[in-house]
Amino acid sequence: MVQVTKDNFNLEQICQSGQCFRMFRESDNLYSVIAGERYLEIEQRNAECVFYCENPEFEDFWKPYFDLDGDYASYIGEIDSGDTYLSEAAAFGSGIRILRQDLWEMIVTFLISQQNNITRIHRCIQNICERYGEKKESVQGKVYYTFPTPESLAGLAEDALMECNLGYRSKYVVRTAGSVVNGDVDLDALRRMPYKEAREELLKLYGVGAKVADCICLFALHHLQAFPIDTHINQALEGHYQTGFPCERYEGYQGVLQQYIFYYELFGGKEKK
């Protein structure tokens, strides 16, 4: 196991932030996360965290996955002191970090996310993993399933994933899997592209619009300048930024601030009154 003391890192907030759908609260202080073929349990009490894995795995995979080297205090410190709303949102969600997640998994996840809620997205992801992923067992004896590969989904009928509660999104996922397998979409090339180029490439995928492309850029490719706009962000923009969010002021990390706003709009009701 690896013990870490880290400020601006809160497992509960990350789990609820709408960026990761394979992270689960196991008990009051214990969380689990599945990423790729890996399974991890983490325990947190205040700023003290215990990662139940060996140090090489922590350094090579989980440390970058949770962006533990990111200076989130500096992002918060740069917020305009006159922007009371954003300051409150950042304080409320100050433990959120932008995860470095698998590109293919994020493409599928945010295709599924359209016109959907967080609980239902979790269920859809769990369904396709259990049906088309690989069954594994962690060192703790926990049974889990890997995320389905493009190859495991590409040959399906376009409506096959309706059985996993994807509804009309089934065809989006199946067609995109086919595009990856056929070589029409090069995931390795996408990983190397700068933000604007990657966003344009993602917009070419069947079923991918601006919001989904920006979510993939932010949560998989770690382009922190991506600023996904969904109904919650739209609500914040209409209430506090009628002329648009000041992205130029926060160039290069406005996606971090977007997450604070999203989380605040979702869970900060009492604090906003």
Side-chain angles (χ1 to χ4, degrees), residues 85-129:
Y85 170 79
L86 186 56
S87 296
E88 290 177 353
F92 184 76
S94 62
I96 295 172
R97 287 181 178 247
I98 307 299
L99 305 181
R100 297 176 184 268
Q101 299 180 81
D102 178 73
L103 175 58
W104 167 243
E105 182 172 341
M106 290 299 96
I107 290 173
V108 174
T109 295
F110 286 99
L111 281 171
I112 291 172
S113 75
Q114 299 178 81
Q115 301 297 313
N116 224 337
N117 61 57
I118 289 176
T119 300
R120 196 166 182 274
I121 298 166
H122 270 287
R123 192 178 307 120
C124 292
I125 296 297
Q126 182 177 344
N127 289 344
I128 66 170
C129 289

Side-chain angles (χ1 to χ4, degrees), residues 2-6 9 47-51 58 68:
V2 179
Q3 293 182 302
V4 175
T5 301
K6 182 64 64 174
F9 181 68
E48 306 293 326
C49 296
V50 177
F51 290 74
F58 171 77
L68 292 181

Side-chain angles (χ1 to χ4, degrees), residues 156-164 167 170-171 174:
L156 300 177
E158 288 196 350
D159 62 353
L161 297 179
M162 288 185 175
E163 296 179 359
C164 297
S170 174
K171 61 180 178 292
V174 173

